[in-house]
Amino acid sequence: GAGVSQSPSNKVTEKGKDVELRCDPISGHTALYWYRQSLGQGLEFLIYFQGNSAPDKSGLPSDRFSAERTGGSVSTLTIQRTQQEDSAVYLCASSEMLADNEQFFGPGTRLTVL
Amino acid sequence: AQKVTQAQTEISVVEKEDVTLDCVYETRDTTYYLFWYKQPPSGELVFLIRRNSFDEQNEISGRYSWNFQKSTSSFNFTITASQVVDSAVYFCALRNTGFQKLVFGTGTRLLVSP
């Protein structure tokens, strides 16, 4: 079946603009995760959704970052007033409900803030 | 605190050599999961293996094998008879029970030359 998809694959924006990144999880996966991969910080957890609620937002780096999930499916990560340090690859993953299931990752969105 | 250390930043081998990627983890929990992911040049993280803390049996899957030792908090990954297609960045990750997020190591870049 189809894997996790993310759009856009690349996004170039100017400092101070808002951006929205989209994630479509694998059908039937109730858990959805956002991670960020950057040269300086490696792979960092941002936020986790179970259904439409986010029990763990501990990785969001600032209040400029927010995410939502609707219908237990698609999720959007929004970054307001982007800064150059936000430049990174944003990865989305999904998994089945059971706690010990592996997370399947999408191809990522490469965000470049000029 | 949870932490994963992959001390090897980059390893270069010639095709058909065996290579071992090291992973050392830290956690206070007695129940946890360990993972290995592969990130080829295309960028998408590919799940390789999950191991729970109660199962210390080593696992072999084709040319891949994993050695889990709780006594040394290590979960090492060996590729036998390496191939050029094995060239990628390999990440070790930890997840504590009760938390959904993966804590990743910094990755080991493996270069396999013909």
Side-chain angles (χ1 to χ4, degrees):
Chain A
V4 177
S5 61
Q6 293 186 245
S7 61
S9 54
N10 278 286
K11 176 72 177 178
V12 180
T13 190
E14 293 179 351
K15 179 181 171 181
K17 295 281 178 70
D18 297 352
V19 295
E20 284 189 353
L21 312 179
R22 176 188 168 106
C23 172
D24 277 277
I26 293 172
S27 177
H29 281 191
T30 58
L32 185 147
Y33 314 78
W34 285 98
Y35 292 85
R36 178 168 75 171
Q37 185 173 23
S38 57
L39 280 175
Q41 302 298 324
L43 266 161
E44 310 170 272
F45 167 81
L46 297 177
I47 186 170
Y48 150 66
F49 286 91
Q50 182 61 47
N52 291 337
S53 64
D56 188 352
K57 307 179 185 179
S58 62
L60 294 178
S62 76
D63 58 9
R64 297 186 295 104
F65 287 72
S66 62
E68 65 174 14
R69 189 179 185 195
T70 55
S73 181
V74 171
S75 175
T76 302
L77 177 69
T78 301
I79 309 173
Q80 295 179 309
R81 305 180 303 281
T82 52
Q83 303 293 313
Q84 287 183 333
E85 61 262 28
D86 299 334
S87 296
V89 176
Y90 289 82
L91 294 166
C92 176
S94 69
S95 70
E96 295 179 353
M97 190 175 64
L98 295 176
D100 63 347
N101 281 323
E102 58 268 26
Q103 299 176 19
F104 293 92
F105 283 79
T109 294
R110 181 175 297 277
L111 174 66
T112 303
V113 182
L114 301 176
Chain B
Q2 307 166 60
K3 186 178 178 182
V4 176
T5 300
Q6 295 180 256
Q8 303 151 309
T9 306
E10 185 169 308
I11 301 175
S12 293
V13 299
V14 176
E15 217 171 10
K16 297 183 184 173
E17 284 186 29
D18 299 347
V19 57
T20 296
L21 309 181
D22 297 334
C23 173
V24 174
Y25 62 91
E26 294 176 32
T27 178
R28 292 197 198 105
D29 285 10
T30 56
T31 307
Y32 50 89
Y33 298 90
L34 296 163
F35 302 80
W36 276 95
Y37 282 85
K38 174 182 180 180
Q39 189 174 42
S42 60
E44 194 159 336
L45 279 164
V46 177
F47 167 79
L48 295 178
I49 190 171
R50 177 189 70 240
R51 171 67 75 229
N52 76 52
S53 53
F54 294 117
D55 183 1
E56 286 194 72
Q57 276 194 330
N58 292 332
E59 181 155 341
I60 298 175
S61 175
R63 296 184 297 107
Y64 295 171
S65 62
W66 290 269
N67 184 329
F68 175 32
Q69 292 198 346
K70 287 181 78 170
S71 61
T72 55
S73 297
S74 65
F75 186 43
N76 296 338
F77 173 30
T78 296
I79 302 175
T80 303
S82 59
Q83 300 176 1
V84 172
V85 293
D86 295 328
S87 296
V89 180
Y90 291 86
F91 291 94
C92 182
L94 165 71
R95 184 171 73 72
N96 283 350
T97 306
F99 294 91
Q100 295 300 321
K101 67 180 181 182
L102 292 172
V103 174
F104 286 90
T106 49
T108 296
R109 181 178 299 278
L110 175 65
L111 300 171
V112 182
S113 54

